[in-house]
Amino acid sequence: MKTYFFLGKGGVGKTTVSAAWSAGLAQSGLKTLVASIDPAHNLGDAFAVRIGDRIMHVGNNLDAVEVNIEDMIRAYLDEISAKMKSTYRYLSAMNIDGYFDILKNSPGIEEYATMEAIKKFVALKGYDAVVFDTPPTGMTIRVLAMPRVSLLWTDQLIKMRKRILSTRGMVENVRGKFEAEVDGERVVLSSSEKEDPVMQELVSYREELRALRDMFSSEQSYVNVVTMAEDLALSETKRIIESLDTFKIRVRTIFLNKFFAMANPPEEIKGKMEEQEGVIKRMKAEIRGIEVKDIPLLRKSPRGIDELLHVYLKYLV
Amino acid sequence: MTALIVLVGAVFYIFFYFTYGKSLERNVVKADGARPTPAFTCRDECDYVPANKFVLFGHHFASIAGAGPIVGPAIAVVWGWLPALLWVWFGNLFIGSIHDYLSLMASVRYDGKSIQYISGELMGKSSKYIFEVYIYFTMILIVAAFMGVYGALASKSPEILTASVLFMGAALVEGQLLYKTKLPFWLSSAIGVALTILAIVVGFLWPFVNVPNLNLLYVLQVIYIILAAALPVWFLLQPRDYLNSYILWGGIIIASIAAVFAFRGFSWPAYTSFAARVISGQPSPFWPTVPLVIACGALSGFHSIVGSGTTSKQLDSELSGLFVGYGAMFMEGMLSTIVITSIGAFGFTVFQGFADKIAAAGFDLAKMQSDAGYFGQVGAAVINSKDIGVGGALGIFTKSFGQMLNVIKVPVKLGETLGGLWASAFVLTTLDTTNRLARYAFQELVEPLRKVSKGLHGILADKWVASILAAVLGLWLITKGGNMYTALWAGFAGANQLLASIAMLTAATWVKKVQKVGKGMLAAVLIPTFVLWVTVFAALVWFLFVIVPVSAPALQVVLGGFVVLMLILDIMLVINFFKSWNEGQHNNTAKP
Amino acid sequence: MRRLLDSLKKSFRTFDKGMREDATSLIRKQLDEEENIFALLTMSVFSGIPSPPTGVVLRILPHMSREISVMTRRSAGLDDMFAQTMGTFDID
C-alpha cells in the first residue's frame, strides 16, 4: 500500500491538490482512501459533498473521511481515565478527573492523536492507497517526527525499567517474590520483563513506533509539499526539506500552486508575475532531486470529482 | 577480675534496665501498648512497617555499634581503666541511654519524624544552612579520624590488613551469591561466613599484604573510599554490611566467653591522673573531655539519628521501645565494658611483648606499671608511637583481645586478627557510607552557588568531584595533622555530642511541654541535658584553646573554624531552648 | 517439649526474616529511588517538568499504581530526608 502526505500552510491549496490526487489514483484503478487530518476540514468542499468522521464512498474506488481529532483526544482520555479509575481506586481521592482535564491540553496530545489517526488508517485492509490532507506544516512535521522522538524516550524508559526489574530481581533472590500493598490489595511486583505490565506496554509501543517510523521513511511513502510561488516560499520549502531530512523522510514533489498565468496581465500584477516566475526558476534550479510541478491560479476552484480529476490530469501528472 | 568486671557490668545494666529504665517508660514516656505506633498508622510497607522487636533490636544495635564503642574506650584507658569504665557505666545510664530512648520515643509520638525535624517544630528552626555545613565537616572529620585509626593499626599489622583485603573479596563474592544467583539464602550466608572466617585464618597464616608506609596506606584508603562509594550498593556495601552483623555478634559472644573465663586480674592502672595526656598528647582533664573520647558506648548523638530516622518507623509497640532503644544502648555499654576489660587485664602483657622497643624509645616500662601518674603522661605516646609499633588505640585493643582469647586456647595472633577484622570491617564500612553522605551533604551545600556561578556549581555538584573532594579533604587533614588521629577523633566526637545535645534538648522540651511529668522525673531528664550541654560546651572550648593551638597550622584553621561553628550552633540551640521553654503550650502535632 | 520446639521454630523464622531484611535493606532503598525517578519522569506531565511525549505516558499510565504511590510517599517525606538517609547508612 502506498501512502501520500500533502504538507503545506493554510490556504496554499493543499486540500485541492490532495483531493485531485486521490481522484487521479482512484481513476487509475487503485482503491483509494483520502483522509483529512487537518482540524480545518475542507475536503467536503473540494468534493462538493458533506463528509463526516465516518469513512464514506465519494466516487468509484474512492472513499473519504474527515477525522475529528478533538473527539479522538477525548475518547483516548476517557478510555485511560476509566482504566485508571478501576486500578487506582484510592487515588480517586486525589481527583483524577482534574488531572485528565490538564492532560487534554498537555503539549503533544494533539500530535499524539493525529499520529494515532494515521496509524489507524494505514492499518486498514482493502486500500491500495491512502492520501492524507494534513494539518498546517508545523504540526505535520512534529507528527512525522513523533515516532523518532517517542522512540528516544521509550528506549530510555525501557532501559530504566530494566534497571528496576534487575534491582527487584536481586531483592527477590533473597526475600522471595516482592509483594506490595497497593490500594488495599496485595499485588505481586514482578521482576521479569514478561510479567511486568509496564515493560510489556513499553515494548509493544516501541514496536508500533518502529513500524510507523519505517513506514514514513519507506519507498511506499510519498511526502509532498504544496506551496505558492512567492519569495518566502523558497526558503520555507528548503527548511521543510531539511527538517524532514533529519528524520530521514524524503520530499518527493513540490507543487507550486496558484501562480498567475495570464496572457495580458494588467500593470498592477506584472511585478508580481515576474517575482513568481523568478521563484519558479530558482526553485527548479536550487532544489535538486525533487520534482517541481507548477499549477496556475485557476479561474474557479475545482468542485466535485470530475473537476478534480481534470486538474489532476492537466497539472499533477 | 575480668570475670568480675564483666559480671558486675552485666548485673549493673540489667538491674538498672528493670528499675530506672522501667521507671522512665512508665513515668516519662508513659508508654501505652494500646496506642498504635507510626509503623501501623503510617504503614507503607517500605519505611513504615512494624518489625519484630528482636529483629529491630538487632538492626538498631548493628546500626549503632561500629568502631566507636571500641576505639573510644581504647583511647580513654590512658586515664586508667576505672574512670573509663565509670563513664561507660554511669554516663550511659544517666545520659546516654536516656538520650537514645527518649529520641526514639519522641519520634514515635511524632509520626516517626526525625529528632532534627522535631527540634525544628519545638524549638524553632535554627539556620538550616549552618547545620548542613556542620554535617559536611563532620563527615570529613569522620573520614580523617577513621583513616587515622585504621592506618595506625594496619601499618603495624599485616595480618589484619590482609584479612581486611580478603574480607573485601569475601563480600564481593557474597554479593554475587546473594543477589545474582538463585542459591538458597542460607547457603549463600553460610558460604559468606565461611569465607570471612577463611579471611581471618589466611590473614593470620600468610599476611601477604604488608604496607608499613602510613602515607601509602592513607592513599590506598582514599582510593578505596572513592571507588567503594561509587559502586552500586549491592556490589560491595550491602553484602559487607550483612557479613558485618555476623562478625559483630560472633565477636561479642567470643569476647564475652573469653572475658568470663579469663579470670585475670587487671594489671593496667586503675587511675592514672585527672589530666592524663589523652588527646594530642595534651593534658586532658577527664571532665569535660571524656565525652570527646568515649562517644558510642556511653553517649552518642548519632544514635538519635538512627533511632529517629529508621527505627522509630518500625517499632511495633510503644512497649518495645525500652528494649530496642534503651536496651541496645546498654548492650553497647556492655561491649565497651568488654573492651576495657580486655585492655585492663592484658594491656600490660602486650606491652611486655614490646619491652625492647619501649626501652629503645626512651620509656620506662617498669615505671609505667608502678607509677600511675607517669603512665598517665606517657601511656598514649607509647601506644601511638610508630617506632614501638603497638598500633594505636585499635592496636592495643586487638593485641589485648588476642591475649584474652588465648585463654580459651585461640592462638594469640589469630585472636588479634579476629579482633582486628572486627574493628576494620566497621571502619571500612563507615568510610564508605560517610563518603556517600558527604557527597549528598556537599551537593546541598553548594546549592546556593547555582545563582552565583552556574559553571562553578556544575563542576562542584558533580558527584565525582563531591566524592573525591570529601575523601581528599579527609586525607589532607590526617596527613597534615601529623597523624594525630586523637585530635581528629575528639573533633568528630565533639560534633557527635553536639547532635546529642540537640536531641537531649529536644527530648527535654518534649517531655516538659507534651508529656507533663512530675518534678522528679523531669529532673531525671533535665539534669542530664544540662550536664551534657555544659560538658560539651566546656569540652569544645577546651579543645579550641588547648588542642587547636598545638595542632599543625593547616589543622588549626580547619579544626578551629569547625569548633567555633559548633560553639555558635551550641549557643543558638540553648537560646532557642530557653525561648521555647518559657513559651506556653503551643501548637504541636505530638500526641502525649 | 513440643512448646519448646515450636517456639524455637518461631524464633528461627523471625531470625531468618530479620537476616533477609538485613541483607537487602540498602537495595530496597535503591529500588525505591529508582521507582520514584521512573514515576517522576513519566508522571511529570502532572507537575510541569519536561516529560516524555504524551503518547508514551498514556500507554503506561494505567499500570503505574505502585510507582505513583511510591512517588507520593516520597514527596511527602522530602522535608525529613537527612535522618532517614543517615539511618540507612550505618555511620557509627
Side-chain angles (χ1 to χ4, degrees):
Chain A
M1 177 174 74
K2 299 199 184 351
T3 50
Y4 301 84
F5 296 89
F6 290 90
L7 274 63
K9 279 205 296 231
V12 297
K14 222 177 349 147
T15 308
T16 310
V17 174
S18 24
W21 193 272
S22 58
L25 291 177
Q27 170 77 301
S28 68
L30 298 171
K31 276 201 69 70
T32 311
L33 168 67
V34 56
S36 167
I37 48 179
D38 184 353
H41 295 299
N42 292 317
L43 212 51
D45 295 333
F47 284 103
V49 175
R50 262 209 55 184
I51 303 181
D53 63 357
R54 293 182 170 281
I55 298 182
M56 58 181 271
H57 212 60
V58 293
N60 202 6
N61 274 339
L62 187 56
D63 291 342
V65 63
E66 284 178 355
V67 182
N68 188 330
I69 296 285
E70 266 216 41
D71 276 357
M72 276 190 78
I73 294 177
R74 201 172 316 127
Y76 280 128
L77 293 181
D78 283 344
E79 189 191 324
I80 307 273
S81 181
K83 264 197 218 162
M84 283 190 62
K85 282 202 183 116
S86 74
T87 48
Y88 295 45
R89 278 182 296 272
Y90 78 102
L91 282 182
S92 59
M94 273 167 57
N95 185 12
I96 294 248
D97 295 323
Y99 288 123
F100 280 93
D101 281 336
I102 301 176
L103 263 187
K104 229 179 10 199
N105 299 317
S106 85
I109 190 91
E110 236 187 289
E111 286 86 328
Y112 173 68
T114 309
M115 191 176 79
E116 290 291 305
I118 296 177
K119 251 181 29 197
K120 190 170 83 170
F121 293 124
V122 163
L124 287 176
K125 310 240 178 280
Y127 288 108
D128 302 314
V130 181
V131 177
F132 288 98
D133 176 17
T134 66
T137 324
M139 167 70 86
T140 309
I141 292 188
R142 282 199 301 281
V143 174
L144 290 175
M146 207 172 206
R148 270 179 204 274
V149 173
S150 300
L151 269 172
L152 287 175
W153 272 100
T154 312
D155 278 335
Q156 285 306 312
L157 289 177
I158 288 180
K159 243 199 290 209
M160 278 188 86
R161 197 70 191 169
K162 279 199 167 123
R163 262 190 76 151
I164 291 179
L165 294 176
S166 152
T167 310
R168 277 193 194 162
M170 287 196 279
V171 177
E172 227 176 67
N173 273 344
V174 173
R175 296 180 61 173
K177 282 249 168 260
F178 199 148
E179 275 185 16
E181 187 142 318
V182 176
D183 184 26
E185 276 176 31
R186 292 212 78 81
V187 181
V188 174
L189 297 179
S190 104
S191 67
S192 106
E193 294 186 14
K194 298 243 177 323
E195 291 169 26
D196 178 38
V198 175
M199 192 57 150
Q200 288 306 301
E201 277 294 343
L202 286 172
V203 167
S204 76
Y205 193 53
R206 184 170 61 177
E207 285 317 301
E208 292 173 32
L209 290 173
R210 280 185 179 155
L212 211 52
R213 175 198 61 183
D214 294 339
M215 183 203 85
F216 285 159
S217 306
S218 80
E219 285 299 308
Q220 313 292 35
S221 179
Y222 298 80
V223 177
N224 310 297
V225 178
V226 180
T227 183
M228 297 208 285
E230 294 185 339
D231 258 345
L232 291 179
L234 181 56
S235 40
E236 201 204 328
T237 306
K238 280 199 196 153
R239 261 202 309 270
I240 295 177
I241 295 173
E242 266 167 40
S243 270
L244 290 176
D245 190 50
T246 54
F247 306 123
K248 305 222 190 327
I249 298 179
R250 262 178 57 202
V251 173
R252 305 289 187 129
T253 315
I254 300 176
F255 293 93
L256 272 175
N257 201 11
K258 301 195 187 180
F259 70 89
F260 289 114
M262 294 176 176
N264 298 308
E267 272 309 310
E268 291 87 343
I269 59 169
K270 266 209 185 120
K272 189 78 185 168
M273 285 182 66
E274 277 169 24
E275 183 192 315
Q276 287 184 342
E277 275 163 41
V279 171
I280 295 176
K281 248 199 279 239
R282 275 187 10 245
M283 219 178 238
K284 291 187 175 166
E286 291 177 27
I287 299 186
R288 317 227 133 237
I290 302 180
E291 217 183 337
V292 180
K293 287 216 147 48
D294 32 67
I295 310 167
L297 186 61
L298 303 171
R299 270 185 204 263
K300 82 180 205 14
S301 304
R303 290 265 176 274
I305 282 211
D306 295 321
E307 291 182 24
L308 290 169
L309 199 50
H310 174 75
V311 168
Y312 176 81
L313 292 170
K314 190 145 186 226
Y315 301 109
L316 302 186
V317 283
Chain B
M1 188 62 170
T2 53
L4 183 67
I5 296 290
V6 169
L7 287 171
V8 168
V11 166
F12 177 86
Y13 284 126
I14 294 176
F15 175 74
F16 281 106
Y17 178 88
F18 284 105
T19 54
Y20 202 53
K22 283 285 176 196
S23 172
L24 283 172
E25 182 184 54
R26 238 190 341 265
N27 303 318
V28 176
V29 171
K30 304 193 178 145
D32 180 1
R35 191 188 354 240
T37 56
F40 288 102
T41 59
C42 307
R43 187 171 189 161
D44 64 5
E45 298 301 331
C46 202
D47 301 316
Y48 289 85
V49 56
N52 173 287
K53 76 176 180 201
F54 292 103
V55 170
L56 196 56
F57 176 89
H59 284 151
H60 185 76
F61 180 67
S63 291
I64 64 177
I70 299 178
V71 175
I75 299 178
V77 284
V78 177
W79 274 303
W81 60 260
L82 189 58
L85 197 62
L86 290 178
W87 175 245
V88 164
W89 286 356
F90 291 99
N92 192 326
L93 174 66
F94 286 118
I95 313 182
S97 50
I98 299 184
H99 159 273
D100 278 25
Y101 182 49
L102 290 185
S103 313
L104 175 65
M105 293 315 290
S107 173
V108 166
R109 293 282 168 76
Y110 274 83
D111 283 340
K113 291 287 186 197
S114 76
I115 208 73
Q116 284 68 35
Y117 183 87
I118 300 171
S119 125
E121 295 274 293
L122 281 175
M123 297 205 290
K125 301 189 190 303
S126 310
S127 173
K128 189 165 178 269
Y129 192 69
I130 295 189
F131 192 71
E132 281 171 4
V133 174
Y134 153 80
I135 290 296
Y136 183 64
F137 280 102
T138 307
M139 296 296 134
I140 304 215
L141 268 183
I142 295 179
V143 170
F146 277 62
M147 281 212 296
V149 147
Y150 183 71
L153 173 70
S155 59
K156 296 291 172 218
S157 172
E159 292 84 2
I160 295 179
L161 185 57
T162 308
S164 305
V165 172
L166 291 175
F167 176 63
M168 221 67 94
L172 284 171
V173 170
E174 181 74 347
Q176 297 296 320
L177 289 179
L178 278 175
Y179 312 118
K180 289 295 177 182
T181 68
K182 296 253 180 279
L183 231 48
F185 176 65
W186 283 107
L187 183 57
S188 311
S189 305
I191 296 179
V193 173
L195 286 175
T196 307
I197 297 178
L198 198 64
I200 298 175
V201 170
V202 171
F204 163 61
L205 293 174
W206 297 289
F208 58 91
V209 184
N210 187 359
V211 183
N213 183 327
L214 199 51
N215 286 327
L216 179 58
L217 207 51
Y218 289 150
V219 170
L220 288 175
Q221 284 186 70
V222 165
I223 295 177
Y224 155 74
I225 290 173
I226 297 176
L227 283 178
L231 290 171
V233 296
W234 67 268
F235 205 69
L236 179 60
L237 180 58
Q238 176 88 89
R240 195 186 49 217
D241 238 14
Y242 177 57
L243 291 178
N244 277 356
S245 324
Y246 289 106
I247 298 180
L248 174 64
W249 290 107
I252 291 182
I253 294 174
I254 295 182
S256 315
I257 296 176
V260 168
F261 284 105
F263 287 124
R264 205 32 191 267
F266 279 16
S267 48
W268 195 275
Y271 173 77
T272 58
S273 72
F274 186 72
R277 292 178 186 271
V278 177
I279 303 176
S280 263
Q282 299 301 309
S284 320
F286 185 74
W287 185 91
T289 64
V290 68
L292 292 188
V293 178
I294 303 186
C296 317
L299 161 70
S300 167
F302 280 127
H303 297 185
S304 70
I305 299 184
V306 172
S308 61
T310 45
T311 310
S312 59
K313 300 176 174 63
Q314 299 183 344
L315 202 63
D316 64 344
S317 153
E318 294 203 350
L319 295 175
S320 304
L322 191 66
F323 179 58
V324 174
Y326 199 69
M329 189 51 174
F330 273 1
M331 184 95 200
E332 223 191 17
M334 248 346 262
L335 177 54
S336 291
T337 303
I338 295 176
V339 169
I340 296 176
T341 304
S342 74
I343 300 181
F346 297 95
F348 264 87
T349 315
V350 173
F351 283 148
Q352 304 291 5
F354 287 90
D356 303 331
K357 298 238 175 73
I358 292 180
F363 297 102
D364 185 340
L365 182 54
K367 194 168 178 207
M368 276 166 61
Q369 183 121 47
S370 60
D371 182 350
Y374 175 71
F375 184 76
Q377 297 300 305
V378 307
V382 170
I383 292 175
N384 291 322
S385 152
K386 292 189 203 40
D387 302 316
I388 299 180
V390 173
L394 278 182
I396 191 71
F397 165 67
T398 52
K399 290 180 166 55
S400 308
F401 189 75
Q403 294 291 337
M404 189 164 78
L405 290 201
N406 193 235
V407 165
I408 49 176
K409 301 294 176 232
V410 173
V412 173
K413 270 270 176 242
L414 182 62
E416 191 186 322
T417 312
L418 169 60
L421 184 63
W422 181 3
S424 317
F426 283 105
V427 168
L428 293 170
T429 298
T430 300
L431 288 175
D432 182 342
T433 55
T434 317
N435 192 260
R436 290 175 194 256
L437 283 162
R439 221 162 48 197
Y440 160 66
F442 188 67
Q443 287 172 327
E444 296 267 304
L445 220 60
V446 297
E447 194 52 32
L449 262 188
R450 205 196 281 268
K451 300 193 185 72
V452 174
S453 158
K454 257 193 149 181
L456 188 60
H457 175 262
I459 297 176
L460 288 178
D462 172 61
K463 77 168 191 214
W464 283 105
V465 172
S467 178
I468 295 175
L469 195 62
V472 164
L473 277 177
L475 174 68
W476 180 76
L477 273 181
I478 186 67
T479 46
K480 278 281 167 279
N483 303 319
M484 268 321 266
Y485 66 85
T486 50
L488 294 168
W489 179 269
F492 145 64
N496 190 356
Q497 308 307 19
L498 184 64
L499 274 178
S501 278
I502 297 179
M504 271 308 259
L505 285 169
T506 309
T509 313
W510 170 66
V511 166
K512 189 231 180 189
K513 291 200 137 160
V514 180
Q515 292 300 89
K516 301 182 167 45
V517 296
K519 287 233 184 331
M521 290 321 291
L522 190 58
V525 177
L526 271 186
I527 295 180
T529 305
F530 280 113
V531 168
L532 172 60
W533 189 88
V534 170
T535 308
V536 170
F537 193 82
L540 287 176
V541 169
W542 172 85
F543 191 84
L544 189 60
F545 287 105
V546 175
I547 300 296
V548 172
V550 304
S551 307
L555 222 56
Q556 286 187 20
V557 175
V558 175
L559 272 185
F562 188 48
V563 172
V564 169
L565 183 79
M566 287 200 275
L567 285 169
I568 295 177
L569 261 183
D570 220 4
I571 297 176
M572 282 172 77
L573 271 175
V574 87
I575 293 178
N576 276 334
F577 174 73
F578 278 117
K579 265 210 299 219
S580 83
W581 190 267
N582 292 324
E583 271 172 22
Q585 190 66 23
H586 71 130
N587 287 353
N588 58 65
T589 51
K591 305 145 195 140
Chain C
M1 190 59 200
R2 175 81 183 253
R3 293 257 310 259
L4 183 62
L5 236 58
D6 269 343
S7 82
L8 266 172
K9 247 200 278 193
K10 231 182 98 185
S11 323
F12 183 73
R13 249 202 299 275
T14 315
F15 180 64
D16 171 62
K17 189 156 169 273
M19 279 321 222
R20 287 184 198 251
E21 271 172 31
D22 223 16
T24 52
S25 59
L26 289 168
I27 302 182
R28 281 290 299 268
K29 280 266 170 287
Q30 179 182 310
L31 182 62
D32 233 26
E33 281 309 316
E34 289 176 348
E35 288 175 338
N36 184 35
I37 294 174
F38 191 82
L40 281 173
L41 272 186
T42 46
M43 300 299 142
S44 53
V45 71
F46 293 136
S47 53
I49 60 184
S51 64
T54 316
V56 185
V57 176
L58 287 183
R59 288 291 288 252
I60 58 178
L61 206 51
H63 307 285
M64 299 271 287
S65 49
R66 170 173 166 84
E67 281 77 6
I68 291 188
S69 75
V70 169
M71 183 176 73
T72 32
R73 175 169 50 81
R74 266 340 203 139
S75 41
L78 269 182
D79 56 353
D80 196 16
M81 282 315 294
F82 169 66
Q84 250 193 47
T85 319
M86 277 200 78
T88 314
F89 291 112
D90 307 338
I91 290 288
D92 252 349

